[in-house]
Amino acid sequence: MKKSSTKLLSIFILAFLNIAIISCSKDEVIDEDELFEDSVEDPVVDPNVIDLIGIDTDQIVTINTGSSDGLFYNFWSTRPMINQTRFNASGFRNSLNSIKSYVKSYNLVRMMGGRSDNQNNFYKGVDASGKIIVDFSELITSLKNFRLTGFKPRIVLDNVPWEMSLPKVDDTYGNSKPPNDYGIWRQYVNAYLQALVDEFGLSEVKIWRFRIATEPNYTPHHWRGTKEEYFKHYDITVDEVLKVIPDAIVGPGNLLTEGSVAKFSTEIIDHCATGTNYATGAIGTKMEFFALSYYEKLDKKEVRFEDVIKPYRDKLNSYSQFSTIPFDIQEFGILRGDNGVRGLSLSDGTEVGASWYATIAALAYKYNVTEIYDWGQELQSSTLPTGRRSVTEMFLKLEGGNRMFAQENLSGFSGVIPVSKDGKIYVLVYNHNTTRNSTNAKTIYPKLEGSQISGTEKWKMKEWTIDKDNSILMNELYKDIRSAGVGEKTDGRIYGNRPSDRFEDGWKNVLNSNLSKYENLSKLKLTVEDVLIGKKDGYLALKVDLAPHSVKLIELTPQ
């Protein structure tokens, strides 16, 4: 029986092998993918889910994704320029191509003469009949060359020409005296505006802005006169501008906001609203925009923005005709570094400047500051972005989106700006401290609720980071310059965006020798890519770890 069974088994095996050989020899071969097509599924990846149970409520920021707190509008696209003749050089115009992604306008300052460098001497005196003699050919040439860039001009109607304010007093920024004869000044303003209209057309010029003076409450450096004398100057200048351009966009000079130096503050708003117009005798003066200067000083270890801005916003809001006009910061930056020293730099080039800028942005939206003019965000002698420029790159991703309400009880200068745009949710998170060596790192938990997330369980997340170790070149540049033995000015400003404030000329050789390294270091760093996250109990939570000076942008895409 055993032998018979063995024989049967052998026959069965041979038969099976024969079938296999015949099958494999057929012309039609079965594809393995077809064989398993219906039986194998893609692996299921569980999304990351964050549970907020047990988390300190002071670390949680609740975001209503169905809410609207206003537009994430562009406030960063205008630069000041104190010498418009630079645009006559094609090399300079071409050097600006790299900033066109975020700069759209230039505010051209001291355009009427009275300059210490003797530029813009368009006023030539008066003839025997008392009629002014002018030559605006250089003005028109410089503006035509400026317009080749594609930028829009904004004109500052200052300074008064030297010959109109004799005897000559050369103050910090040239002639800060009012004219001796407002009849002559009226003629000059009229001729100046008419020259612009004749060359560029009324329809074009009427959309430019015209600011009357610069920091007129900074006496005597910008205005060697009284408060009332400036009000008179403003009224008369506006009146003459409107004779040439009835719809002109006009506003007073940007006010200095240093309390110990500024000679007046919100009084100019009251004058334009309820004061007697020096030119017309009527009540009030046209004011289409209002502006301030705002400079931080890192050695003061503070952020003054809210305390400075609020009184002006409140005053503007107290007059219905001024509550919605543009409210700008037309000079802006970090005036002094950590060591209390000024330089040509008007910014901080490191992660400190980046986190400060994000803090300012949140406050600007809170107080409806329309624009913040910027002197520049690139590293000196290059197109390399500093930390603040990388923050602007984040802003560009958010521009035009809908800001959403966020409820929080965070301490210090940290916060969240949530934005909905093109079906995605963005969360800009920042942590700023007023000392460079701060160790105050934070963890924040944005908690997203509401209609935009209610129908979607899974989201794909990206994260960009700016901090000491990401998207910053300045720290490495300083290290390399010192290693190369370049002379260091120990009394010079430190960490500004102009290394020449701190180092001798050899720093440029270090920059150029390691340019590719600095290009890589300065790029906005993508630190998380396409991580799947999920909801819990109807909300979507994130955990964001922030260095003491840090800005992060999180992008959430529904899946």
Side-chain angles (χ1 to χ4, degrees):
M1 185 71 180
K2 182 177 180 181
K3 185 176 181 181
S4 175
S5 298
T6 302
K7 186 176 181 179
L8 286 172
L9 179 60
S10 298
I11 293 170
F12 176 80
I13 292 171
L14 286 171
F16 176 80
L17 290 173
N18 187 49
I19 292 170
I21 291 169
I22 292 171
S23 298
C24 291
S25 66
K26 289 183 179 179
D27 292 335
E28 185 177 349
V29 179
I30 298 175
D31 193 314
E32 283 189 7
D33 290 339
E34 293 180 12
L35 195 64
F36 291 98
E37 184 176 7
D38 296 328
S39 59
V40 178
E41 297 179 356
D42 291 334
V44 176
V45 178
D46 291 329
N48 293 290
V49 177
I50 294 176
D51 191 341
L52 295 179
I53 294 177
I55 301 298
D56 185 345
T57 56
D58 287 345
Q59 293 180 270
I60 298 173
V61 178
T62 303
I63 299 166
N64 179 0
T65 64
S67 65
S68 178
D69 196 22
L71 187 71
F72 193 96
Y73 55 82
N74 182 326
F75 65 77
W76 55 83
S77 63
T78 300
R79 279 193 176 181
M81 169 64 73
I82 60 174
N83 184 5
Q84 89 284 354
T85 62
R86 297 183 70 188
F87 293 98
N88 291 337
S90 60
F92 178 71
R93 295 196 302 270
N94 292 336
S95 73
L96 302 176
N97 289 333
S98 63
I99 66 172
K100 288 184 177 180
S101 62
Y102 77 102
V103 176
K104 306 303 178 186
S105 302
Y106 267 86
N107 198 49
L108 306 176
V109 183
R110 295 175 220 156
M111 290 285 285
M112 300 188 79
R115 296 171 59 109
S116 298
D117 60 8
N118 290 318
Q119 297 275 5
N120 301 343
N121 288 330
F122 314 129
Y123 175 71
K124 306 300 182 182
V126 296
D127 63 17
S129 66
K131 184 176 180 180
I132 64 168
I133 303 168
V134 293
D135 181 358
F136 292 118
S137 57
E138 291 182 3
L139 170 67
I140 298 304
T141 296
S142 63
L143 283 175
K144 287 172 72 174
N145 285 324
F146 168 82
R147 296 184 76 224
L148 293 175
T149 64
F151 297 124
K152 281 290 184 183
R154 296 176 177 184
I155 308 296
V156 181
L157 298 176
D158 66 359
N159 293 336
V160 175
W162 293 113
E163 292 78 6
M164 290 188 194
S165 303
L166 298 175
K168 181 177 178 179
V169 178
D170 194 348
D171 282 311
T172 307
Y173 305 102
N175 183 27
S176 64
K177 295 172 67 177
N180 296 330
D181 184 338
Y182 270 101
I184 299 297
W185 173 250
R186 276 184 176 275
Q187 285 190 59
Y188 185 56
V189 172
N190 191 293
Y192 191 101
L193 271 294
Q194 193 61 56
L196 298 182
V197 170
D198 290 346
E199 180 63 37
F200 303 109
L202 181 60
S203 61
E204 170 65 21
V205 177
K206 75 177 184 179
I207 64 174
W208 301 356
R209 284 191 183 187
F210 295 93
R211 190 182 84 197
I212 287 81
T214 298
E215 295 181 338
N217 61 341
Y218 189 20
T219 301
H221 305 280
H222 272 303
W223 182 251
R224 186 175 281 274
T226 66
K227 174 181 67 176
E228 292 298 332
E229 284 175 327
Y230 174 69
F231 295 172
K232 174 183 177 180
H233 183 76
Y234 178 71
D235 291 352
I236 291 173
T237 306
V238 168
D239 186 60
E240 204 61 40
V241 170
L242 297 178
K243 289 178 181 177
V244 182
I245 310 171
D247 297 327
I249 305 171
V250 293
N254 51 312
L255 298 185
L256 187 77
T257 54
E258 303 291 333
S260 60
V261 179
K263 298 303 182 183
F264 62 89
S265 58
T266 59
E267 297 96 313
I268 181 65
I269 301 174
D270 293 322
H271 172 74
C272 290
T274 62
T276 300
N277 189 302
Y278 283 91
T280 67
I283 298 300
T285 308
K286 185 174 184 178
M287 182 171 73
E288 294 289 302
F289 63 87
F290 181 77
L292 302 174
S293 296
Y294 180 81
Y295 290 107
E296 208 77 83
K297 299 171 183 175
L298 292 184
D299 57 303
K300 294 289 188 179
K301 298 178 175 58
E302 61 186 2
V303 177
R304 301 183 305 121
F305 195 88
E306 191 158 22
D307 291 338
V308 166
I309 297 301
K310 189 177 185 303
Y312 290 97
R313 168 46 69 197
D314 289 345
K315 179 63 74 171
L316 289 168
N317 287 349
S318 71
Y319 296 108
S320 59
Q321 68 268 43
F322 297 144
S323 61
T324 59
I325 65 171
F327 177 24
D328 300 341
I329 308 298
Q330 293 192 359
E331 288 189 39
F332 172 78
I334 298 177
L335 195 64
R336 296 201 308 236
D338 311 58
N339 56 359
V341 177
R342 288 187 63 170
L344 293 179
S345 300
L346 288 171
S347 183
D348 179 90
T350 73
E351 67 281 359
V352 176
S355 59
W356 171 80
Y357 192 36
T359 303
I360 296 296
L363 293 170
Y365 286 120
K366 178 178 178 180
Y367 289 99
N368 196 23
V369 172
T370 314
E371 290 193 62
I372 298 178
Y373 294 9
D374 202 297
W375 291 102
Q377 301 178 358
E378 288 74 29
L379 182 74
Q380 178 185 7
S381 300
S382 78
T383 60
L384 295 174
T386 63
R388 281 189 52 218
R389 174 65 182 90
S390 292
V391 175
T392 298
E393 197 63 26
M394 292 178 169
F395 293 164
L396 291 171
K397 294 178 184 294
L398 306 179
E399 182 181 0
N402 169 57
R403 288 182 290 120
M404 298 178 289
F405 285 108
Q407 183 178 352
E408 48 87 2
N409 191 32
L410 299 172
S411 61
F413 298 110
S414 57
V416 171
I417 306 176
V419 174
S420 172
K421 181 181 177 183
D422 298 333
K424 298 179 180 180
I425 294 175
Y426 294 89
V427 185
L428 188 141
V429 193
Y430 61 90
N431 181 32
H432 176 68
N433 290 277
T434 58
T435 56
R436 188 176 300 274
N437 60 357
S438 171
T439 59
N440 186 26
K442 284 187 179 181
T443 299
I444 295 176
Y445 294 86
K447 177 185 179 183
L448 293 93
E449 303 175 329
S451 59
Q452 194 166 343
I453 68 159
S454 61
T456 305
E457 293 298 319
K458 299 177 183 178
W459 298 73
K460 190 170 286 185
M461 184 179 85
K462 291 182 179 179
E463 175 194 83
W464 293 268
T465 300
I466 305 168
D467 59 24
K468 188 175 182 179
D469 299 318
N470 296 283
S471 314
I472 297 293
L473 70 86
M474 191 64 77
N475 300 311
E476 186 72 9
L477 176 61
Y478 263 58
K479 176 183 174 183
D480 291 345
I481 292 172
R482 286 166 172 158
S483 296
V486 175
E488 185 166 356
K489 308 169 189 176
T490 55
D491 59 347
R493 175 170 179 166
I494 194 166
Y495 294 121
N497 62 321
R498 300 179 64 87
S500 61
D501 284 340
R502 187 70 181 181
F503 297 101
E504 303 294 346
D505 289 344
W507 75 267
K508 288 185 181 179
N509 296 330
V510 176
L511 173 70
N512 294 328
S513 298
N514 300 278
L515 192 58
S516 60
K517 177 173 76 168
Y518 302 132
E519 287 173 343
N520 289 328
L521 286 171
S522 65
K523 289 178 181 176
L524 182 58
K525 183 72 173 293
L526 182 64
T527 45
V528 174
E529 185 172 11
D530 295 339
V531 169
L532 203 62
I533 61 173
K535 294 193 303 186
K536 179 178 177 61
D537 299 331
Y539 65 81
L540 185 72
L542 309 171
K543 180 184 179 184
V544 186
D545 295 316
L546 297 162
H549 304 99
S550 179
V551 188
K552 295 196 176 192
L553 178 64
I554 296 168
E555 177 189 88
L556 300 172
T557 304
Q559 300 299 297

